[in-house]
Amino acid sequence: VLAFEVDPSCGEALAICHRVKLIKFTASVGSPETLICPTLLFFGDDLPESDRKEMGLNPYSLRLSVGLEHADDILSDLFSALGE
């Protein structure tokens, strides 16, 4: 599992999650499939804005749980969703 922030020019995290094809858009864990979700959708609602900012929770941050698919397929899906 990893979290990362995308450049705003790629769009907000939620939009990116809707553009992936192979990767599943869900907050579930423990799946053999690669999963993605915007961090703000599931974390930080109870935190003040200053704490969310300090933790890197923003409209451009994503949480990715890497599954068993081939790494090249996962990367290709991510790059496509990011417009690269």
Side-chain angles (χ1 to χ4, degrees):
V1 176
L2 59 114
F4 60 97
E5 186 175 323
V6 297
D7 187 283
S9 67
C10 296
E12 291 193 357
L14 185 59
I16 293 166
C17 290
H18 286 292
R19 291 195 300 256
V20 292
K21 305 276 189 248
L22 170 73
I23 300 168
K24 306 295 184 219
F25 174 23
T26 183
S28 179
V29 294
S31 173
E33 302 164 313
T34 299
L35 311 172
I36 194 167
C37 69
T39 56
L40 277 181
L41 195 58
F42 300 99
F43 308 104
D45 279 345
D46 58 339
L47 299 173
E49 178 65 31
S50 59
D51 288 348
R52 286 194 298 260
K53 184 175 181 178
E54 184 177 320
M55 295 173 66
L57 301 175
N58 61 62
Y60 306 101
S61 61
L62 291 154
R63 178 188 178 276
L64 182 73
S65 175
V66 179
L68 300 176
E69 300 89 354
H70 193 280
D72 290 341
D73 295 335
I74 295 169
L75 290 171
S76 177
D77 195 23
L78 278 174
F79 289 143
S80 177
L82 295 170
E84 296 182 12

